[in-house]
Amino acid sequence: MPGKPASPGKTKAPALLFLTVNGAERNAAIADGDMPLIYWLRGELELTGTHLGCGKGECGACTVLIDGQPARACQIPVAAAAGRSVTTIEGLGTPLAPHPLQAAFIAEQAAQCGWCTPGMVMEGAALLARDAQPGRDEVKAALDGHLCRCGSHHRVLRAVLRAAGGAKP
Amino acid sequence: MNPALSRRALLRAGAALTVAFALPRPARAAAAKTNDPGEVDGFLSIGADGRVTVYCGKVDLGQGLRVAIRQMAAEELGLGMDAITLVEGDTLLTPDQGPTAGSTGVARGGVQIRQAAATARHALIRLAAARLDRPPQDLDLRDGVVAPADGGRSIAMGDLIGEAGFALKLDPQARLRDPAEYRLVGKPLPRPDLPAKVYGSHTYVHDVKLPGMLHARVIRPPVVGATLLKVDESSIKAVKGARVVRLKDFLAVVAGREWEAVRAAALLKAVWSDSAPLMGHGAVRGWLKAGPFAAEEVLKAKGDATARLADAPPPVEYYWPVQSHASLGPSCAVAQVGSGAATIWTASQATHRFRPAFAAMLGLPVDKVRLIYLDGSGCYGMNGHDDAAADAALLAKTVGKPVRVAWSRDDELGWDPKGPPQLIAMRGAMSPAGQVLGWSTEMWLPKATAGLSHVPLLAPEAAGIAQPRGLVTGLLAQNGDPPYAAVDLEVKVHWLADAPLRPSNIRAPGKIANSFAVESFFDELCARVGLDPLVTRLIGLRDLRGVAVLTKAASMMAWAPRPIPNPRRDGTGRGIAYVHYKHSETYVAIAMEVAVDAEAGRIAVKRVTCAHDCGLVINPDALRMQIEGCILQTLSRTLLEETTFDRARVTATDQSGYPILGFLGVPDIAVELIDRPGQPPMGGGEAAATPVPAALANAVFDAAGLRLRTVPFTPVRVREASQAL
């Protein structure tokens, strides 16, 4: 996983950072560059679709894409994302123009409480971008770092395979 | 209890989730909205445009109640799903239908709303009959219009009911629609909240933002029961705008931004007293047998089990450890407390039940406290959500501003109220033909405090605010007796006066461990006499709905009768287990195929089949989802989970200490629903969890000849059991 654990003790002079978020240029005046990306996305940009799970990089709920690669937004400092392109669940697709995986999640009704869902959708989208036809085992392996407490795993597997358009679950 | 609000304001408020972000509305006495569960107006209101708002005291925690309640209400009212707006778990607007617990969302909450809707339909037809001068039996309510079946004049629902509402008692006898005519109930309709959850636009309690709102982190003591000796407020001066709030031993930091609160909480230096009030998880099993006890109770007795079992092999003990809810996201709540009123946005399963507790804590009259449900990270019993709500309320009152509290992962696993431990000793005798001759179940369980309405909350406890104390556990003693005929039987419980950590209800309270013991031990008896466990169950079962689920689950696995363990001795095996939930509700059988590597201690669950009969099925797809969730979550609890703790604190506070099942451990699952439209609808959120551990343990025995009686089934335990063979 990119980034390093945030160290809450440090204080730095405010810095102006430039990031691309969901295709738009954003700048952030951040007093503490060690602040994990998720607090900026949720607090400043009000992109609340990214969910904080464990805050330890163990559950995958906060996964976003940075330059197309899945990253844990609770672990990567805002400063480490400067100059890069961040995609959150809000930027992946919309009801009018859904990402195929979002459409597949809805078709398979692949969520219960939905806390882990955005992170799984982002991870699954990254998987499909690098492998358009993953098998069931590849999907399981790609998602193994994502925890779901409600037990929606089966539906999620089916959704990713449905979006891949091939293999039956 | 029921402050009057203008009907229009309520409808506007109820129409969208933005009610959550509005400040409490001033009471105006136009037409009173009641939340009286005895009144149709408590559950339903019909707008002039014919839109219907349903007020539901039960809430959707992710289990699909949002679609099921709409289906049940829309069916009776003859409406489409889209015509219904649902308001959930708001103490001001929704009737108290009891907590969303015990698998009662549909079985009690939905059934009550269905009855209100049926009462409303009959009332609308009566009103229309008078206006149209037709006998009521000629008329039906469909698509918002009361119309005669033969055509002719009709009248719209919104024209029949005005601002005053129905002013009608809910009629428990109001005739329901005939299931043969159902248009919505029984269909796998999509859940209305799914798209927003998938696009990241669903509103959770974590997303509430109020003007002037502060973010808070509560600092729990490093050891349970410690008192706060000293706080160094200067230790957080590096965090601009952050400040310390202290009420006796309740310690928190508040700040304008969430990250600032997180930083301040990490920086804050506080000195706590030493404390070591816990027994440590290793001592729990011994403590359950040693007491102190509050009572002993014989739950069921038939014949003379003691005499019958005099020559039987000695009892064997099954143990279920303390477990956490382990919700994926941190508990969170937002509160606004003024001088005379409070509003709390909470992911509580029991907003009505906690309302008096919050009023007492805040020193406000009950009718001035409003709890509003918003989704949180899923919970499966009372987790940390209500504690977070109490944290937020107490802080909002203290700082005079709206406060949002979010917990950390460590707090969640460390401080959520826990599923209590259970010890169950089994003794029995079976005839060579498979009849249970004698059966004894002896349980050691923490005793719930009589009359205690809710789990004591952390915030008032720490702040020195009086609250009722005691234990909340859920109904732990059910399903401790076999569902199969026994000649002589005794089921006894030793009630413990305390619990090792603060307990609460966790999914299918008690029933999972009791069924683990009962259904595993039934296989032990079968093994003693060399009989097939499925056939032997069918011999002893007197309930045909039970027979139906057992044979279905077994046939899905192509079960061929033979003795256990598997004579092939190739490390593969199968097991089956059955429950009639609470002996009165849902019927479930689960069969499982496993592969066991006894040397490595590894259990691989290959395939799970489940047959499920909960009477009338409201939404088969949402029900399947619940069943899959029950199976996977309980596999996780059985294979992996135990809350470890030492004398001072919980030590399992992350995924390495408290692991839960990941994708690589997910087996194939096949579920068959047996729909019985003539039967009442029963719950789907708990029952299927219950047979999982025994089905797994029985499959492991079949595969490797080793009997696992202690959860979790860790590699160490599997190896130990294997070496003991």
Side-chain angles (χ1 to χ4, degrees):
Chain A
M1 211 42 54
K4 57 184 165 59
S7 43
K10 290 186 205 160
T11 302
K12 292 176 181 170
L16 196 61
L17 306 173
F18 296 91
L19 297 83
T20 303
V21 179
N22 297 334
E25 297 293 325
R26 310 299 294 244
N27 58 65
I30 305 279
D32 177 5
D34 287 338
M35 177 169 80
L37 179 61
I38 189 167
Y39 292 98
W40 185 66
L41 294 173
R42 290 184 55 93
E44 307 306 316
L45 302 189
E46 301 195 357
L47 292 171
T48 53
T50 302
H51 296 159
L52 184 74
C54 62
K56 296 168 182 260
E58 294 178 337
C59 77
C62 65
T63 300
V64 298
L65 303 183
I66 298 181
D67 294 337
Q69 296 303 309
R72 305 290 195 251
C74 77
Q75 294 296 294
I76 188 159
V78 184
R84 302 167 77 180
S85 175
V86 178
T87 307
T88 70
I89 187 74
E90 292 92 341
L92 191 69
T94 63
L96 289 176
H99 185 280
L101 189 53
Q102 287 172 313
F105 263 68
I106 294 167
E108 296 288 352
Q109 296 280 290
Q112 293 183 53
C113 79
W115 199 255
C116 67
T117 309
M120 289 195 185
V121 171
M122 300 311 283
E123 188 78 53
L127 169 68
L128 293 173
R130 63 176 186 267
D131 178 0
Q133 296 281 308
R136 188 180 167 88
D137 288 344
E138 284 84 61
V139 178
K140 273 189 174 185
L143 290 174
D144 198 51
H146 289 254
L147 300 176
C148 166
R149 185 55 163 166
C150 297
S152 304
H153 307 71
H154 252 258
R155 303 292 182 103
V156 172
L157 291 173
R158 288 211 314 244
V160 179
L161 291 170
R162 174 190 275 256
K168 271 201 157 260
Chain B
M1 285 292 285
N2 308 319
L5 285 186
S6 98
R7 188 164 192 83
R8 180 173 301 177
L10 285 172
L11 286 175
R12 198 168 56 226
L17 205 58
T18 49
V19 65
F21 310 105
L23 301 182
R25 290 168 190 283
R28 279 185 285 150
K33 160 73 179 114
T34 176
N35 64 3
D36 182 346
E39 296 282 334
V40 171
D41 294 326
F43 294 105
L44 298 172
S45 66
I46 295 174
D49 57 356
R51 281 198 64 81
V52 173
T53 303
V54 172
Y55 299 93
C56 183
K58 306 266 188 193
V59 300
D60 194 322
L61 308 157
Q63 83 279 38
L65 208 63
R66 261 167 216 145
V67 71
I69 294 289
R70 278 183 172 87
Q71 280 174 280
M72 294 175 86
E75 187 71 68
E76 287 301 324
L77 293 169
L79 291 170
M81 296 288 282
D82 293 343
I84 296 200
T85 300
L86 190 68
V87 177
E88 300 162 58
D90 182 332
T91 56
L92 182 64
L93 302 179
T94 66
D96 181 0
Q97 296 188 278
T100 310
S103 214
T104 57
V106 161
R108 293 198 205 143
V111 162
Q112 209 173 10
I113 285 169
R114 182 176 68 173
Q115 203 61 38
T119 308
R121 171 165 51 86
H122 291 296
L124 289 164
I125 288 174
R126 277 196 308 274
L127 288 168
R131 295 263 290 269
L132 299 171
D133 198 22
R134 298 281 301 248
Q137 58 269 28
D138 287 1
L139 303 174
D140 193 10
L141 174 62
R142 288 286 178 197
D143 303 318
V145 174
V146 180
D150 58 6
R153 242 165 22 99
S154 64
I155 187 161
M157 197 166 62
D159 295 333
L160 289 165
I161 286 291
E163 278 275 306
F166 287 90
L168 186 66
K169 292 276 177 228
L170 191 151
D171 175 7
Q173 306 302 325
R175 196 166 36 79
L176 300 172
R177 286 199 193 271
D178 181 349
E181 296 168 12
Y182 279 167
R183 298 175 178 193
L184 299 173
V185 167
K187 294 216 159 47
L189 301 177
R191 288 159 50 207
D193 47 354
L194 249 288
K197 285 177 175 173
V198 172
Y199 293 114
S201 57
H202 188 71
T203 302
Y204 292 85
V205 67
H206 306 65
D207 306 330
V208 173
K209 204 167 184 177
L210 298 174
M213 182 178 86
L214 297 177
H215 290 269
R217 283 289 185 281
V218 176
I219 293 96
R220 305 285 175 210
V223 298
V224 173
T227 55
L228 181 54
L229 303 176
K230 208 176 105 190
V231 182
D232 176 8
E233 299 201 9
S234 70
S235 58
I236 63 164
K237 66 174 189 290
V239 187
K240 209 175 130 223
R243 68 182 178 99
V244 174
V245 179
R246 178 186 178 179
L247 298 162
K248 202 169 164 281
D249 300 323
F250 181 71
L251 180 63
V253 289
V254 295
R257 291 184 169 84
E258 186 170 11
W259 176 243
E260 290 165 354
V262 174
R263 280 187 69 208
L267 289 172
L268 185 66
K269 287 193 169 59
V271 182
W272 300 82
S273 71
D274 244 351
S275 176
L278 309 178
M279 66 182 74
H281 68 274
V284 171
R285 193 171 179 149
W287 169 83
L288 284 163
K289 289 291 274 293
F293 297 101
E296 190 177 297
E297 188 179 354
V298 174
L299 298 174
K300 206 165 184 180
K302 185 185 164 204
D304 188 345
T306 310
R308 173 74 75 170
L309 295 173
D311 298 324
V316 289
E317 290 182 358
Y318 287 81
Y319 177 67
W320 196 274
V322 178
Q323 292 184 329
S324 171
H325 300 265
S327 292
L328 196 67
S331 290
C332 181
V334 175
Q336 173 160 304
V337 181
S339 57
T343 305
I344 297 138
W345 290 268
T346 170
S348 179
Q349 295 179 306
T351 48
H352 277 281
R353 184 162 286 191
F354 276 98
R355 192 186 195 192
F358 279 67
M361 183 180 75
L362 297 170
L364 291 169
V366 172
D367 66 354
K368 297 295 181 197
V369 175
R370 179 180 182 185
L371 278 76
I372 300 172
Y373 174 77
L374 281 179
D375 293 40
S377 171
C379 62
Y380 322 91
M382 190 202 138
N383 64 357
H385 285 319
D386 294 295
D387 283 307
D391 293 343
L394 201 53
L395 286 167
K397 179 185 174 175
T398 308
V399 303
K401 287 186 171 175
V403 171
R404 174 188 184 272
V405 168
W407 283 20
S408 68
R409 187 69 181 160
D410 294 85
D411 284 348
E412 196 70 40
L413 286 168
W415 291 89
D416 75 324
K418 301 290 188 288
Q422 295 172 252
L423 185 67
I424 304 133
M426 313 298 299
R427 201 171 183 203
M430 182 178 276
S431 79
Q435 186 188 20
V436 177
L437 300 173
W439 183 286
S440 160
T441 302
E442 200 173 358
M443 302 187 267
W444 287 264
L445 307 171
K447 183 167 177 51
T449 306
L452 185 67
S453 76
H454 60 83
V455 176
L457 297 165
L458 295 174
E461 192 64 29
I465 299 169
Q467 64 174 333
R469 289 183 173 167
L471 309 181
V472 168
T473 62
L475 299 169
L476 291 181
Q478 295 168 317
N479 290 118
D481 51 328
Y484 318 105
V487 179
D488 295 292
L489 170 111
E490 184 179 73
V491 180
K492 189 159 93 177
V493 54
H494 305 270
W495 290 111
L496 286 131
D498 203 354
L501 290 166
R502 184 176 60 139
S504 79
N505 52 309
I506 184 168
R507 198 173 207 159
K511 274 79 79 181
I512 294 177
N514 297 340
S515 289
F516 167 49
V518 167
E519 286 289 294
S520 294
F521 187 66
F522 189 85
D523 267 39
E524 293 200 49
L525 293 180
C526 294
R528 278 184 205 163
V529 294
L531 292 176
D532 175 81
L534 169 68
V535 172
T536 314
R537 278 176 171 80
L538 294 174
I539 290 170
L541 206 52
R542 295 288 179 267
D543 189 323
L544 290 179
R545 289 173 74 179
V547 170
V549 293
L550 262 171
T551 50
K552 173 70 81 178
S555 67
M556 291 163 75
M557 199 150 270
W559 188 285
R562 60 161 168 75
I564 49 173
N566 189 350
R568 283 218 312 266
R569 300 302 251 174
D570 61 356
T572 65
R574 63 175 195 204
I576 196 162
Y578 160 74
V579 73
H580 182 200
Y581 195 59
K582 303 180 192 172
H583 287 306
S584 62
E585 297 181 5
T586 297
Y587 298 81
V588 192
I590 286 182
M592 233 175 259
E593 280 176 2
V594 301
V596 178
D597 179 343
E599 218 160 276
R602 204 165 44 236
I603 300 169
V605 182
K606 298 293 188 191
R607 198 152 77 95
V608 181
T609 63
C610 173
H612 192 277
D613 169 4
C614 59
L616 169 70
V617 174
I618 307 298
N619 184 316
D621 191 62
L623 177 60
R624 282 173 189 280
M625 180 99 226
Q626 278 303 286
I627 294 167
E628 289 169 20
C630 280
I631 292 169
L632 291 174
Q633 188 180 82
T634 313
L635 277 178
S636 178
R637 289 174 69 181
T638 309
L639 286 166
L640 300 169
E641 299 179 29
E642 174 169 19
T643 293
T644 57
F645 53 103
D646 58 22
R647 295 293 309 277
R649 68 181 75 78
V650 171
T651 51
T653 60
D654 58 18
Q655 172 68 7
S656 59
Y658 198 91
I660 65 170
L661 192 75
F663 272 92
L664 292 178
V666 169
D668 291 340
I669 299 175
V671 175
E672 290 266 2
L673 305 178
I674 299 175
D675 186 13
R676 298 195 187 273
Q679 295 287 334
M682 290 295 174
E686 293 185 333
T690 311
V692 168
L696 177 57
N698 290 341
V700 169
F701 178 80
D702 192 47
L706 49 94
R707 178 53 65 182
L708 298 173
R709 301 190 188 95
T710 298
V711 165
F713 300 166
T714 56
V716 171
R717 290 212 172 96
V718 174
R719 280 198 299 270
E720 280 172 3
S722 170
Q723 283 153 13
L725 285 178

